[in-house]
Amino acid sequence: SYVLTQPPSVSVAPGKTARITCGGNNIETKIVHWYQQKPGQAPVLVVYDNSDRPSGIPERFSGSNSGNTATLTISRVEAGDEADYFCQVWHSNSDHPHWVFGGGTKLTVL
Amino acid sequence: EVQLVESGGGLVKPGGSLRLSCAASGFTFSSYSMNWVRQAPGKGLEWVSSISSSSSNIKYADSVKGRFTISRDNAKNSLYLQMNSLRAEDTAVYYCASGYGIAVAVPFDYWGQGTLVTVSS
């Protein structure tokens, strides 16, 4: 089965840039999606197809995918960005295609 | 406005069954794939099952295959998850989420608020 590895936590000061990584074997061959989940709330799609943003998501959120690492970048971090972030890929390289989520990263705004 | 409202959660004994429902509104339900995702208390997201817009393509996580059945009724704008042979490790908040297209391999663009399933004796 395919495994996505995220750091458990990332801390950043307000106004700075946060980078949350998602590691996977040759992940650049896959399409990565990112979700934000605030405490007590449902997840929200913030980046899809590696680097596209749904309507309503600020331009501060961006994504990239290269080699064995996909990255969610949040520029000019605000207190309201504090949340858990999850990466997701569709693993089709098997006879049992399925969705895979990363373990999640808690973003703390200092 | 897109709305997804789950129902049917509750307390059930190990080995028991439960049927979750998800009522959809605000979009053309029959044109989008649908999904179930769960989250155990204090844990991350775990994909459970996906169904294409026409029900022609259905996928399950290994952890639930053979025990859970996903289905949809496009005439009623509803998604279902029949859960049998429930185990303690199935305890979680269950979310329904719509797909960003007709196929199962598309991101989940809208999510419900979830319904809690507790499996305990």
Side-chain angles (χ1 to χ4, degrees), chain A residues 1-2 89-92 94 96-100, chain B residues 47 59-62:
Chain A
S1 186
Y2 193 75
V89 301
W90 176 252
H91 180 53
S92 58
S94 73
H96 174 45
H98 57 279
W99 284 107
V100 179
Chain B
W47 169 72
K59 303 295 183 188
Y60 296 99
D62 285 344

Side-chain angles (χ1 to χ4, degrees), chain A:
Chain A
S1 186
Y2 193 75
V3 176
L4 295 174
T5 301
Q6 297 183 236
S9 62
V10 167
S11 299
V12 63
K16 299 299 186 183
T17 298
R19 294 179 179 84
I20 298 172
T21 59
C22 176
N25 184 35
N26 217 19
I27 197 173
E28 67 178 358
T29 63
K30 300 187 181 300
I31 299 173
V32 181
H33 315 298
W34 291 90
Y35 299 87
Q36 174 194 68
Q37 186 181 34
K38 296 181 179 179
Q41 298 184 20
V44 172
L45 180 67
V46 293
V47 167
Y48 68 98
D49 292 358
N50 295 325
S51 59
D52 290 337
R53 276 186 316 278
S55 60
I57 300 300
E59 291 184 8
R60 302 185 296 103
F61 288 81
S62 62
S64 62
N65 187 8
S66 179
N68 293 314
T69 305
T71 303
L72 173 69
T73 301
I74 308 172
S75 305
R76 302 180 300 283
V77 167
E78 302 173 356
D81 298 331
E82 190 162 282
D84 293 325
Y85 291 84
F86 298 89
C87 57
Q88 178 198 37
V89 301
W90 176 252
H91 180 53
S92 58
N93 302 17
S94 73
D95 59 356
H96 174 45
H98 57 279
W99 284 107
V100 179
F101 282 101
T105 298
K106 180 176 180 56
L107 176 67
T108 298
V109 181
L110 300 171

Side-chain angles (χ1 to χ4, degrees), chain B:
Chain B
E1 178 194 6
V2 172
Q3 280 201 317
L4 297 170
V5 180
E6 303 93 336
S7 61
L11 176 63
V12 61
K13 289 182 169 53
S17 297
L18 215 53
R19 189 193 196 208
L20 305 184
S21 299
C22 173
S25 61
F27 65 107
T28 306
F29 181 75
S30 59
S31 296
Y32 295 91
S33 60
M34 294 296 296
N35 311 273
W36 289 100
V37 177
R38 68 185 181 184
Q39 187 169 35
K43 302 296 185 182
L45 301 176
E46 180 187 13
W47 169 72
V48 173
S49 182
S50 297
I51 185 168
S52 62
S53 60
S54 65
S55 303
S56 61
N57 194 4
I58 290 175
K59 303 295 183 188
Y60 296 99
D62 285 344
S63 57
V64 306
K65 200 167 188 178
R67 300 188 299 123
F68 290 12
T69 302
I70 191 172
S71 63
R72 64 189 296 162
D73 185 335
N74 287 344
K76 294 183 177 180
N77 290 345
S78 293
L79 174 73
Y80 307 101
L81 185 68
Q82 177 66 44
M83 304 186 296
N84 299 330
S85 303
L86 283 162
R87 308 166 179 166
E89 54 265 35
D90 295 319
T91 294
V93 172
Y94 284 73
Y95 295 101
C96 75
S98 59
Y100 199 52
I102 62 172
V104 296
V106 294
F108 306 167
D109 55 351
Y110 292 100
W111 297 61
Q113 283 305 305
T115 186
L116 176 62
V117 172
T118 303
V119 184
S120 174
S121 55

